[in-house]
Amino acid sequence: MEETLKELAVTLYDIQAIKFGAFTTKIGLKTPIYFDLRVIISYPKFMSRLTEILWRPVKDSAENVSQICGVPYTALPLATLISVENNIPLLIKRKEAKSYGTMKLIEGVYSPGDNCIIIEDVITSGSSILETVSVLRNEQLNVTQALVLIDREQGGKKELESHKIKVKSLYTVTTLMTYLLEAGKVTQKVVEDVKNYLKTNQVQNISVQGVPDDRLKLPYCKRAKLARNPLATTLLELMDRKLTNLCLAADLTKTDAILELANLAGPHIAVLKTHVDIVEDFSESFVRQLKELARQHEFLLMEDRKFGDIGNTVTLQYNCGIYRMSTWADLVTMHPVSGKDALYALKNDRDTTEPRGVFLVAEMSSEGALTSGEYLKSAVSMAEEAGDVVVGLVCQSNLSSQPGLLQLTPGVKLSKGGDKLGQRYKDPRSVVNAGADLAVVGRAITEAADKLAAVLQYKKLLWAAYEERTRNLYANT
């Protein structure tokens, strides 16, 4: 067996699935070793041998396996081969729910209680596996094991085991380096460089001990203690205290209308979201009155600016001009497109010492949005790495297992569908079940004949969905 593993390790190097040098990860971290396992799909016979060895540890007990599920996307071909060769049904976890039809996150045939094994190519923090496990467990599937090609030995295995996921890997980075050194593919210096890198670059994940292992299983009051951003703690505690997970989008053009709505809805909402660049009569007086209403009714202010420029420009947009958002907006939104340096500019360069937080826009509710694939994965990684700056993610599906990160979902309305400009709507219960902690309701309230009645209706439905989610998930642990 070891000779086979040595041979396969050399082949991985020869086909350039393993690379050495100076590389940068998607979230900006430097690394001397990089795995590009996507290339193995161009070597069918090699991929077949690799998957045969990967499956071998569980082959004798395969009769107890109902399905296998490959973590998208690199592991999908591996899982497909294992499925076909061993006659075990395959499940596919989508990166995001479809905006039409069944809107499912899991494709395939399954039943509650089925045993499902996860297939993955590489683990670093384990977050990709945890995201997949979370979705599968929400469908009442039993997931306790993951088969992995390479364990980077940076904390992912320990994190997964803390979530009751047993990990079996073909290789660790250490064993790979040993095999490649023996084969003369790398020098001792390269081995030492990688060894030192692993020692000093352990991923710091939040491990929840003694409580259920899914973000969705925890009530807001418990998650508040696990948040790294102080404002995330404040928001979770506020939601728990006020019994509301409603974020009201006050997309109105007159200050009097916004203030009237804020006063009316304030006792029943957690966050008031604005777009100040559409306000026609913006003034400092408006800001003072809005802040006073937020203090009086205990809600946070979010400016939906969606920053997306270089760090210096973002800093100027945040602090300067007529809006001076840093002086009054508790929360702002930002696209991750500019990278982590622009994100940290909002933390380090602002005209206030009061707590502030960022919601990173990972997914959008508009049809045809490009926030998908690798971009989406990078957005989630950035949020998890920068938890002291980031309060949460703007998204449409359950993207992160970290209990201290909130998920904010826009596009909520009682009736599903959309408008003529590509906006897609989902109902309150479906967005909460899909992972939303805060749900954004806008025109369904601002255009209602009785705005207070609409506020109360959405507040009630959203909170009931949250209570049902935590109650049902606790019952299954």
Side-chain angles (χ1 to χ4, degrees):
M1 178 67 172
E2 187 173 13
E3 290 303 314
T4 300
L5 289 175
K6 289 181 181 180
E7 177 190 345
L8 294 176
V10 171
T11 303
L12 284 170
Y13 177 86
D14 289 340
I15 65 175
Q16 298 186 55
I18 309 173
K19 300 176 182 179
F20 299 95
F23 299 96
T24 303
T25 67
K26 298 182 185 72
I27 57 174
L29 297 177
K30 303 296 183 181
T31 173
I33 184 170
Y34 180 71
F35 298 103
D36 184 12
L37 297 182
R38 294 174 181 84
V39 300
I40 66 176
I41 62 174
S42 296
Y43 304 89
K45 289 184 179 179
F46 171 68
M47 183 166 63
S48 180
R49 289 189 65 197
L50 207 58
T51 53
E52 190 274 325
I53 300 296
L54 180 64
W55 186 251
R56 188 173 292 179
V58 298
K59 191 170 185 177
D60 292 340
S61 57
E63 67 274 5
N64 298 321
V65 180
S66 306
Q67 290 95 8
I68 60 173
C69 182
V71 176
Y73 287 108
T74 306
L76 287 180
L78 305 176
T80 301
L81 266 181
I82 293 173
S83 170
V84 172
E85 291 296 327
N86 296 276
N87 193 31
I88 297 174
L90 179 70
L91 297 179
I92 296 177
K93 184 252 181 188
R94 298 178 63 90
K95 277 284 190 179
E96 56 278 322
K98 296 187 293 184
S99 60
Y100 56 89
T102 61
M103 304 177 76
K104 293 165 60 176
L105 275 172
I106 299 294
E107 302 291 353
V109 178
Y110 55 89
S111 300
D114 283 353
N115 294 316
C116 182
I117 286 183
I118 300 289
I119 308 296
E120 177 62 304
D121 58 338
V122 180
I123 57 168
T124 304
S125 68
S127 61
S128 294
I129 290 180
L130 287 176
E131 291 163 15
T132 301
V133 168
S134 175
V135 174
L136 293 170
R137 286 178 174 172
N138 286 345
E139 296 294 326
Q140 313 305 317
L141 291 167
N142 183 37
V143 189
T144 60
Q145 191 167 183
L147 302 181
V148 180
L149 286 183
I150 300 171
D151 175 9
R152 285 187 62 107
E153 300 179 282
Q154 290 181 263
K157 182 177 181 180
K158 181 179 180 181
E159 179 71 9
L160 290 169
E161 288 175 346
S162 75
H163 288 77
K164 301 178 184 178
I165 304 295
K166 186 176 181 181
V167 177
K168 294 181 179 180
S169 62
L170 273 191
Y171 301 100
T172 62
V173 172
T174 300
T175 57
L176 266 178
M177 296 306 297
T178 300
Y179 294 154
L180 294 178
L181 181 64
E182 291 178 0
K185 297 295 182 179
V186 297
T187 65
Q188 185 64 46
K189 183 181 184 306
V190 172
V191 173
E192 290 301 318
D193 287 345
V194 172
K195 181 180 179 181
N196 291 333
Y197 168 78
L198 294 177
K199 186 182 298 184
T200 57
N201 287 272
Q202 292 294 300
V203 176
Q204 299 298 316
N205 282 336
I206 298 173
S207 182
V208 186
Q209 301 294 336
V211 294
D213 58 1
D214 194 310
R215 177 183 67 86
L216 303 183
K217 296 175 182 177
L218 292 172
Y220 299 142
C221 59
K222 291 188 177 181
R223 289 173 55 190
K225 300 175 183 178
L226 303 169
R228 292 162 59 192
N229 182 293
L231 205 56
T233 297
T234 297
L235 180 52
L236 287 163
E237 290 175 345
L238 183 154
M239 292 159 63
D240 182 72
R241 184 170 62 254
K242 290 185 67 175
L243 307 181
T244 181
N245 47 2
L246 173 59
C247 172
L248 173 58
D251 296 336
L252 305 171
T253 59
K254 298 294 184 181
T255 58
D256 285 347
I258 296 174
L259 293 170
E260 181 181 353
L261 181 63
N263 189 44
L264 181 75
H268 312 290
I269 64 174
V271 175
L272 182 80
K273 185 175 78 70
T274 58
H275 280 291
V276 291
D277 54 0
I278 70 172
V279 177
E280 298 171 353
D281 54 346
F282 182 87
S283 67
E284 291 186 7
S285 174
F286 164 66
V287 169
R288 286 196 299 271
Q289 292 178 75
L290 193 59
K291 289 177 68 175
E292 175 56 28
L293 288 173
R295 185 200 64 77
Q296 178 183 338
H297 296 307
E298 287 191 287
F299 60 82
L300 298 185
L301 296 173
M302 174 190 289
E303 170 48 34
D304 197 3
R305 177 60 178 80
K306 295 188 177 73
F307 294 103
D309 216 311
I310 61 173
N312 184 65
T313 301
V314 165
T315 299
L316 294 172
Q317 291 171 325
Y318 190 41
N319 292 309
C320 304
I322 62 173
Y323 301 125
R324 299 185 63 214
M325 289 166 247
S326 66
T327 65
W328 59 270
D330 302 297
L331 305 161
V332 293
T333 55
M334 181 177 186
H335 287 294
V337 65
S338 301
K340 63 182 179 67
D341 289 338
L343 173 63
Y344 275 93
L346 294 181
K347 175 188 178 183
N348 300 324
D349 299 297
R350 50 186 170 88
D351 290 341
T352 180
T353 58
E354 294 181 26
R356 294 289 184 257
V358 176
F359 270 95
L360 275 185
V361 182
E363 292 177 302
M364 298 184 69
S365 58
S366 53
E367 189 171 6
L370 303 181
T371 49
S372 60
E374 288 301 315
Y375 182 88
L376 176 59
K377 186 175 182 179
S378 298
V380 175
S381 296
M382 187 185 298
E384 292 179 339
E385 290 290 329
D388 57 332
V389 182
V390 176
V391 168
L393 293 158
V394 179
C395 54
Q396 295 292 306
S397 54
N398 186 22
L399 298 182
S400 175
S401 61
Q402 289 196 5
L405 286 176
L406 287 88
Q407 297 196 178
L408 174 76
T409 300
V412 178
K413 209 170 187 178
L414 290 180
S415 56
K416 298 179 181 179
D419 64 14
K420 296 179 180 179
L421 298 176
Q423 171 71 63
R424 306 296 300 177
Y425 291 113
K426 296 180 180 179
D427 65 86
R429 188 170 184 271
S430 67
V431 298
V432 173
N433 286 341
D437 299 309
L438 270 171
V440 182
V441 183
R443 282 174 279 180
I445 291 174
T446 60
E447 297 178 359
D450 188 335
K451 294 178 176 56
L452 179 58
V455 168
L456 294 174
Q457 182 181 28
Y458 278 96
K459 175 189 178 183
K460 179 180 179 181
L461 291 171
L462 289 166
W463 191 257
Y466 157 72
E467 288 189 319
E468 179 186 12
R469 183 179 82 184
T470 54
R471 181 170 59 248
N472 287 347
L473 287 170
Y474 266 113
N476 291 315
T477 59

Short mmCIF file of all heavy atoms in Angstrom, two decimals, residues 99-126:
data_model
loop_
_atom_site.label_atom_id
_atom_site.label_comp_id
_atom_site.label_asym_id
_atom_site.label_seq_id
_atom_site.Cartn_x
_atom_site.Cartn_y
_atom_site.Cartn_z
N SER A 99 -32.71 29.66 -8.35
CA SER A 99 -33.69 30.74 -8.17
C SER A 99 -35.00 30.43 -8.85
O SER A 99 -35.87 31.30 -8.97
CB SER A 99 -33.10 32.05 -8.72
OG SER A 99 -32.82 31.93 -10.10
N TYR A 100 -35.18 29.18 -9.30
CA TYR A 100 -36.41 28.79 -9.99
C TYR A 100 -36.68 27.33 -9.65
O TYR A 100 -35.87 26.65 -9.01
CB TYR A 100 -36.24 28.96 -11.51
CG TYR A 100 -35.06 28.21 -12.07
CD1 TYR A 100 -35.17 26.89 -12.50
CD2 TYR A 100 -33.80 28.81 -12.11
CE1 TYR A 100 -34.09 26.20 -12.99
CE2 TYR A 100 -32.70 28.11 -12.59
CZ TYR A 100 -32.86 26.81 -13.04
OH TYR A 100 -31.76 26.12 -13.50
N GLY A 101 -37.83 26.84 -10.07
CA GLY A 101 -38.15 25.43 -9.87
C GLY A 101 -38.21 25.05 -8.40
O GLY A 101 -38.83 25.73 -7.58
N THR A 102 -37.51 23.96 -8.04
CA THR A 102 -37.56 23.45 -6.66
C THR A 102 -36.72 24.27 -5.69
O THR A 102 -36.89 24.16 -4.49
CB THR A 102 -37.05 22.00 -6.62
OG1 THR A 102 -35.69 21.97 -7.08
CG2 THR A 102 -37.91 21.09 -7.52
N MET A 103 -35.76 25.06 -6.20
CA MET A 103 -34.87 25.89 -5.38
C MET A 103 -34.11 25.03 -4.36
O MET A 103 -33.80 25.45 -3.25
CB MET A 103 -35.65 27.00 -4.67
CG MET A 103 -36.44 27.88 -5.62
SD MET A 103 -37.44 29.14 -4.82
CE MET A 103 -36.18 30.33 -4.38
N LYS A 104 -33.77 23.78 -4.76
CA LYS A 104 -33.10 22.86 -3.85
C LYS A 104 -31.60 23.12 -3.79
O LYS A 104 -30.99 23.58 -4.74
CB LYS A 104 -33.34 21.42 -4.33
CG LYS A 104 -34.78 20.96 -4.22
CD LYS A 104 -35.03 19.69 -5.02
CE LYS A 104 -34.18 18.54 -4.55
NZ LYS A 104 -34.50 17.28 -5.28
N LEU A 105 -31.00 22.77 -2.65
CA LEU A 105 -29.55 22.82 -2.49
C LEU A 105 -28.92 21.45 -2.67
O LEU A 105 -27.73 21.35 -2.98
CB LEU A 105 -29.20 23.36 -1.10
CG LEU A 105 -29.14 24.88 -0.94
CD1 LEU A 105 -28.96 25.25 0.52
CD2 LEU A 105 -28.00 25.47 -1.76
N ILE A 106 -29.70 20.39 -2.49
CA ILE A 106 -29.20 19.02 -2.65
C ILE A 106 -29.91 18.36 -3.81
O ILE A 106 -31.15 18.34 -3.87
CB ILE A 106 -29.42 18.19 -1.37
CG1 ILE A 106 -28.67 18.79 -0.19
CG2 ILE A 106 -28.98 16.74 -1.59
CD1 ILE A 106 -27.18 18.75 -0.33
N GLU A 107 -29.14 17.82 -4.76
CA GLU A 107 -29.71 17.10 -5.90
C GLU A 107 -29.46 15.60 -5.70
O GLU A 107 -28.36 15.18 -5.33
CB GLU A 107 -29.05 17.55 -7.21
CG GLU A 107 -29.18 19.04 -7.50
CD GLU A 107 -30.60 19.48 -7.82
OE1 GLU A 107 -31.49 18.60 -7.95
OE2 GLU A 107 -30.83 20.69 -7.94
N GLY A 108 -30.50 14.81 -5.95
CA GLY A 108 -30.40 13.36 -5.79
C GLY A 108 -31.56 12.82 -4.98
O GLY A 108 -32.44 13.57 -4.53
N VAL A 109 -31.58 11.52 -4.81
CA VAL A 109 -32.66 10.85 -4.08
C VAL A 109 -32.14 10.40 -2.71
O VAL A 109 -31.11 9.73 -2.63
CB VAL A 109 -33.18 9.63 -4.87
CG1 VAL A 109 -34.28 8.91 -4.09
CG2 VAL A 109 -33.68 10.06 -6.25
N TYR A 110 -32.86 10.76 -1.67
CA TYR A 110 -32.44 10.42 -0.31
C TYR A 110 -33.64 10.44 0.62
O TYR A 110 -34.70 10.97 0.29
CB TYR A 110 -31.37 11.39 0.19
CG TYR A 110 -31.78 12.84 0.13
CD1 TYR A 110 -32.43 13.46 1.20
CD2 TYR A 110 -31.53 13.61 -1.01
CE1 TYR A 110 -32.83 14.78 1.14
CE2 TYR A 110 -31.92 14.94 -1.08
CZ TYR A 110 -32.56 15.52 -0.01
OH TYR A 110 -32.95 16.83 -0.07
N SER A 111 -33.42 9.86 1.81
CA SER A 111 -34.46 9.83 2.83
C SER A 111 -33.86 10.22 4.17
O SER A 111 -32.66 10.02 4.39
CB SER A 111 -35.06 8.42 2.94
OG SER A 111 -35.64 8.01 1.72
N PRO A 112 -34.65 10.79 5.07
CA PRO A 112 -34.15 11.12 6.42
C PRO A 112 -33.52 9.90 7.08
O PRO A 112 -34.07 8.79 7.01
CB PRO A 112 -35.40 11.59 7.16
CG PRO A 112 -36.31 12.10 6.08
CD PRO A 112 -36.07 11.20 4.90
N GLY A 113 -32.37 10.09 7.69
CA GLY A 113 -31.69 9.00 8.37
C GLY A 113 -30.67 8.26 7.53
O GLY A 113 -29.91 7.43 8.05
N ASP A 114 -30.61 8.54 6.22
CA ASP A 114 -29.61 7.90 5.36
C ASP A 114 -28.20 8.29 5.79
O ASP A 114 -27.96 9.42 6.22
CB ASP A 114 -29.81 8.32 3.90
CG ASP A 114 -30.98 7.61 3.24
OD1 ASP A 114 -31.55 6.70 3.87
OD2 ASP A 114 -31.33 7.97 2.09
N ASN A 115 -27.27 7.33 5.64
CA ASN A 115 -25.86 7.58 5.94
C ASN A 115 -25.14 8.08 4.70
O ASN A 115 -25.13 7.40 3.66
CB ASN A 115 -25.19 6.30 6.45
CG ASN A 115 -25.75 5.84 7.78
OD1 ASN A 115 -25.96 6.65 8.68
ND2 ASN A 115 -26.00 4.55 7.91
N CYS A 116 -24.52 9.23 4.80
CA CYS A 116 -23.84 9.84 3.66
C CYS A 116 -22.38 10.12 4.02
O CYS A 116 -22.08 10.65 5.09
CB CYS A 116 -24.54 11.14 3.26
SG CYS A 116 -23.81 11.96 1.83
N ILE A 117 -21.47 9.76 3.11
CA ILE A 117 -20.04 10.01 3.29
C ILE A 117 -19.62 11.17 2.39
O ILE A 117 -20.01 11.25 1.22
CB ILE A 117 -19.20 8.76 2.97
CG1 ILE A 117 -19.34 7.73 4.10
CG2 ILE A 117 -17.72 9.10 2.78
CD1 ILE A 117 -18.50 6.49 3.91
N ILE A 118 -18.81 12.08 2.94
CA ILE A 118 -18.32 13.24 2.20
C ILE A 118 -17.00 12.89 1.50
O ILE A 118 -16.14 12.24 2.09
CB ILE A 118 -18.08 14.43 3.15
CG1 ILE A 118 -19.38 14.84 3.84
CG2 ILE A 118 -17.48 15.61 2.40
CD1 ILE A 118 -20.38 15.50 2.96
N ILE A 119 -16.85 13.36 0.26
CA ILE A 119 -15.60 13.23 -0.48
C ILE A 119 -15.04 14.64 -0.72
O ILE A 119 -15.76 15.52 -1.18
CB ILE A 119 -15.80 12.53 -1.84
CG1 ILE A 119 -16.54 11.19 -1.66
CG2 ILE A 119 -14.45 12.32 -2.53
CD1 ILE A 119 -15.80 10.16 -0.86
N GLU A 120 -13.75 14.85 -0.39
CA GLU A 120 -13.13 16.16 -0.58
C GLU A 120 -11.71 15.97 -1.11
O GLU A 120 -11.09 14.92 -0.88
CB GLU A 120 -13.12 16.93 0.74
CG GLU A 120 -12.44 18.29 0.71
CD GLU A 120 -13.06 19.32 -0.21
OE1 GLU A 120 -13.19 19.01 -1.41
OE2 GLU A 120 -13.40 20.42 0.27
N ASP A 121 -11.18 16.99 -1.80
CA ASP A 121 -9.82 16.89 -2.32
C ASP A 121 -8.78 17.33 -1.28
O ASP A 121 -7.86 16.59 -0.95
CB ASP A 121 -9.67 17.68 -3.61
CG ASP A 121 -10.02 19.15 -3.45
OD1 ASP A 121 -10.75 19.50 -2.51
OD2 ASP A 121 -9.56 19.97 -4.28
N VAL A 122 -8.91 18.55 -0.75
CA VAL A 122 -7.94 19.10 0.20
C VAL A 122 -8.68 19.75 1.35
O VAL A 122 -9.72 20.40 1.14
CB VAL A 122 -7.04 20.15 -0.48
CG1 VAL A 122 -6.03 20.72 0.52
CG2 VAL A 122 -6.31 19.55 -1.68
N ILE A 123 -8.19 19.60 2.57
CA ILE A 123 -8.74 20.34 3.70
C ILE A 123 -7.67 21.23 4.31
O ILE A 123 -6.53 20.80 4.50
CB ILE A 123 -9.37 19.44 4.79
CG1 ILE A 123 -8.36 18.42 5.34
CG2 ILE A 123 -10.60 18.75 4.28
CD1 ILE A 123 -8.84 17.71 6.60
N THR A 124 -8.05 22.47 4.57
CA THR A 124 -7.19 23.41 5.29
C THR A 124 -7.87 23.74 6.62
O THR A 124 -7.48 23.28 7.68
CB THR A 124 -6.95 24.68 4.47
OG1 THR A 124 -6.40 24.33 3.21
CG2 THR A 124 -5.98 25.61 5.20
N SER A 125 -8.95 24.51 6.55
CA SER A 125 -9.72 24.83 7.76
C SER A 125 -10.87 23.86 7.99
O SER A 125 -11.40 23.75 9.08
CB SER A 125 -10.28 26.25 7.66
OG SER A 125 -11.27 26.32 6.65
N GLY A 126 -11.28 23.16 6.92
CA GLY A 126 -12.43 22.27 7.01
C GLY A 126 -13.75 22.95 6.74
O GLY A 126 -14.81 22.32 6.77
#
